[in-house]
């Protein structure tokens, strides 16, 4: 066994609640050692972000029985569709108590997001799907989900070329009932980026009363800000960020101020 496997096999770690391997090389053998160790009964937080994690390693973790995670950051690992499927199809309760799930930059695509949308994660309140090249199909799958009843914070940023149609795909989403914050951006700095995302958001018949809305780099224009300013549901909003939207002029800012 290597040093990491020997470390994880040590019962001296029985009191560990938070375990981080970010920016290391977290191999399948490490994941298996963690998943099969009987002493990690207190473990609730696992950070394996940017750790060259492969789907096989995540699969080992999905079989753990000694611990139930509340926080998992597996961001910036090439997990692909299999990553979403592994979490959704876990046969143990290791992911059942998840409250925060960060899968930023995992190349999930629409297929991986569709698996996640069907995952039974009743306590999940924070979901980060930034940089996963999701299209309207993935957004529609997320909108149709009925297995994320506690979701309050949704982050979908740097989704190239997905403008208002991505927001429109969320119409009728059951998750709107509890959503408190939304972070949405397209990562398109072009002056001719498609505007209308904010207008599409407030036009939804079931638009939620968000407490925080971040639409930086979302191709917004003055009409978008005017729509936000005139939306009664925005009365609950405590935090609004619309930075890096070059089409916004003084007209849009004035609408918000007044």
């Amino acid at each position: 066994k290597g040093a990491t496997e020997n470390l994880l096999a040590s019962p001296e770690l029985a009191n560990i609640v938070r375990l981080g391997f970010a920016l290391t090389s977290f191999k399948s053998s490490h994941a298996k050692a963690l998943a099969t160790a009987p002493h990690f009964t207190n473990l609730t937080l696992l950070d394996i972000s940017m750790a060259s994690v492969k789907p096989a390693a995540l699969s080992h973790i999905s079989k753990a029985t000694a611990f139930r995670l509340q926080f998992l950051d597996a961001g910036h690992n090439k997990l692909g569709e299999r990553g979403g499927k592994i979490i959704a199809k876990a046969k143990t309760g290791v992911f059942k108590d998840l409250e925060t799930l960060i899968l930023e930059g995992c190349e999930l695509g629409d297929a991986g997001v569709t698996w996640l949308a069907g995952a039974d994660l009743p306590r999940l309140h924070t979901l980060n799907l930034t940089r996963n090249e999701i299209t309207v199909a993935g957004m529609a799958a997320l909108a149709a989900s009925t297995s994320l009843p506690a979701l309050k914070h949704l982050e979908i940023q740097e989704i190239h070329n997905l403008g208002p149609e991505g927001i429109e795909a969320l119409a009728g989403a059951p998750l709107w009932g509890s959503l408190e914050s939304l972070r949405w951006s397209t990562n398109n700095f072009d002056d001719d980026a498609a505007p209308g995302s904010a207008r599409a958001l407030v036009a939804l018949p079931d638009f939620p009363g968000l407490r925080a809305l971040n639409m930086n780099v979302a191709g917004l224009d003055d009409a978008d800000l005017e729509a936000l300013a005139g939306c009664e549901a925005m009365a609950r909003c405590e935090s609004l960020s619309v930075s890096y939207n070059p089409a916004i002029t003084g007209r849009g800012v004035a609408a918000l101020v007044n």
Side-chain angles (χ1 to χ4, degrees):
K1 289 183 179 181
T4 301
E5 290 90 342
N6 286 330
L7 175 67
L8 292 170
S10 172
E12 299 298 323
L13 300 182
N15 291 323
I16 291 291
V17 176
R18 301 175 180 85
L19 188 60
F21 286 94
L23 290 168
T24 67
S25 179
F26 190 72
K27 301 177 181 178
S28 292
S29 59
H30 304 155
K32 184 176 181 179
L34 172 62
T36 56
H39 47 268
F40 281 107
T41 54
N42 294 309
L43 184 64
T44 59
L45 182 151
L46 180 61
D47 184 354
I48 50 174
S49 60
M50 297 179 283
S52 302
V53 176
K54 302 231 182 325
L58 187 63
S59 180
H60 282 304
I61 293 171
S62 75
K63 299 169 186 172
T65 57
F67 56 87
R68 295 169 73 101
L69 296 174
Q70 295 176 14
F71 179 105
L72 174 62
D73 187 349
H76 301 284
N77 293 300
K78 295 181 179 180
L79 299 176
E81 175 188 352
R82 284 188 62 198
K85 182 176 181 179
I86 288 166
I87 293 173
K89 301 288 283 184
K91 291 183 168 43
T92 70
V94 64
F95 301 133
K96 190 80 170 181
D97 292 345
L98 274 176
E99 297 176 356
T100 297
L101 177 58
I102 301 173
L103 294 172
E104 178 175 346
C106 287
E107 302 181 3
L108 298 177
D110 290 335
V113 170
T114 299
W115 278 110
L116 283 176
D120 185 17
L121 301 173
R123 299 185 181 183
L124 190 71
H125 61 63
T126 300
L127 177 61
N128 186 339
L129 296 175
T130 291
R131 296 180 184 172
N132 275 293
E133 295 305 321
I134 305 167
T135 72
V136 171
M139 296 298 293
L142 191 61
S145 174
T146 58
S147 58
L148 305 172
L151 193 65
K152 295 183 183 300
H153 311 288
L154 178 61
E155 185 166 341
I156 303 179
Q157 298 195 92
E158 301 190 34
I159 307 298
H160 298 279
N161 303 317
L162 183 62
E165 67 277 11
I167 293 290
E168 291 166 357
L170 291 173
L175 58 85
W176 278 142
S178 59
L179 204 66
E180 294 182 1
S181 74
L182 174 66
R183 297 176 67 91
W184 172 272
S185 77
T186 60
N187 195 36
N188 192 336
F189 286 94
D190 295 337
D191 289 342
D192 59 353
S197 290
R199 278 171 279 169
L201 185 64
V202 301
L204 296 178
D206 49 358
F207 176 73
L210 296 172
R211 295 188 183 278
L213 176 62
N214 183 314
M215 300 190 86
N216 296 339
V217 204
L220 304 189
D221 61 10
D222 289 336
D224 282 303
L225 262 62
E226 289 169 343
L228 289 174
C231 178
E232 291 184 8
M234 287 295 290
R236 285 181 57 195
C237 195
E238 300 169 356
S239 175
L240 174 64
S241 183
V242 292
S243 301
Y244 306 111
N245 288 289
I248 293 175
T249 70
R251 184 188 114 198
V253 174
L256 283 179
V257 172
N258 299 323

